[in-house]
């Protein structure tokens, strides 16, 4: 009987410790996985059936590959972000910084490559970078069925020699 009580107490203590973030994959340290704290991504609740059919259409624009979400850069160097989207008709990709659409200028370039009937690759480059280039960038893919967005955070680093 005592062994059973000890085993039950140990199981309860271990599960409580793991629930608070202890052990591997907890809230401290690395190894959280692709989704936040190894949880399944949240299910989006649509307000009406029309929005569900719009955002979940099989031909809708979907970003299938993208750059890492966080980048630190050295001032004066080049930064590059990449997005690849699929959908039918082929999606168009638009780049944003801090919620504002980016337009071409001599330090900012976008290169696009269509692949087949349903895929497009897009690369955004800033060269040379300045302090003003720090911020939150977004790649938005859209076609007549859906819109998909990926975000990238950038900040510059100062290296003292």
């Amino acid at each position: 009987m005592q062994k059973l009580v000890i085993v039950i107490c140990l199981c309860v203590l271990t599960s409580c410790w793991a629930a608070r973030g202890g052990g591997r994959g907890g809230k401290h340290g690395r190894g959280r996985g692709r989704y936040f704290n190894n949880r399944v991504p949240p299910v989006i609740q649509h307000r009406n059936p029309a929005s569900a059919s719009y955002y979940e259409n099989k031909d809708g624009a979907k970003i299938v590959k993208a750059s890492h979400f966080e980048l630190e850069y050295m001032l004066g160097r080049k930064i590059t972000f990449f997005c690849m989207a699929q959908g039918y008709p082929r999606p168009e990709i638009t780049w944003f910084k801090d919620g504002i659409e980016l337009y071409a200028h001599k330090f900012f370039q976008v290169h696009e490559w269509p692949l087949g009937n349903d895929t497009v690759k897009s690369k955004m480059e800033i060269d040379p970078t300045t302090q003003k280039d720090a911020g939150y960038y977004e790649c938005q893919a859209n076609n007549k069925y859906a819109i998909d967005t990926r975000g990238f955070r950038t900040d510059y680093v100062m290296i003292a020699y």
Side-chain angles (χ1 to χ4, degrees):
M1 184 68 176
Q2 281 183 329
K3 288 182 181 182
L4 180 63
V5 171
I6 291 172
V7 169
I8 291 173
C9 289
L10 249 167
C11 290
V12 170
L13 287 174
T14 305
S15 65
C16 289
W17 180 67
R20 286 192 319 244
R24 295 181 74 170
K27 66 181 180 178
H28 299 292
R30 297 180 184 221
R32 292 183 186 174
R34 180 173 176 179
Y35 303 113
F36 304 101
N37 292 329
N38 288 333
R39 292 186 193 144
V40 176
V43 175
I44 298 172
Q45 299 293 325
H46 299 289
R47 294 183 185 201
N48 61 46
S51 66
S53 66
Y54 177 76
Y55 285 104
E56 296 172 9
N57 189 303
K58 67 178 180 64
D59 291 329
K62 181 173 242 37
I63 296 174
V64 293
K65 281 187 183 178
S67 297
H68 194 268
F69 68 92
E70 195 163 6
L71 174 74
E72 291 183 337
Y73 64 91
M74 290 176 33
L75 297 175
R77 301 285 178 97
K78 181 194 304 189
I79 58 175
T80 302
F81 289 113
F82 165 80
C83 260
M84 186 164 133
Q86 283 183 326
Y88 191 81
R90 181 186 303 121
E92 293 181 6
I93 293 182
T94 308
W95 291 92
F96 296 86
K97 179 182 184 268
D98 298 327
I100 300 170
E101 186 174 346
L102 292 172
Y103 293 98
H105 62 77
K106 63 181 181 177
F107 302 122
F108 168 77
Q109 295 181 355
V110 173
H111 305 280
E112 287 192 344
W113 300 271
L115 301 170
N117 293 332
D118 65 347
T119 306
V120 62
K121 285 183 3 179
S122 181
K123 179 173 73 167
M124 185 269 295
E125 296 178 327
I126 300 173
D127 188 22
T129 55
T130 66
Q131 293 175 344
K132 291 181 181 180
D133 294 320
Y136 186 73
Y137 291 84
E138 289 177 300
C139 160
Q140 183 184 81
N142 63 21
N143 66 7
K144 67 181 186 178
Y145 295 114
I147 298 171
D148 195 11
T149 304
R150 286 292 182 280
F152 315 98
R153 183 171 301 133
T154 62
D155 201 2
Y156 62 91
V157 291
M158 301 288 287
I159 299 179
Y161 293 100

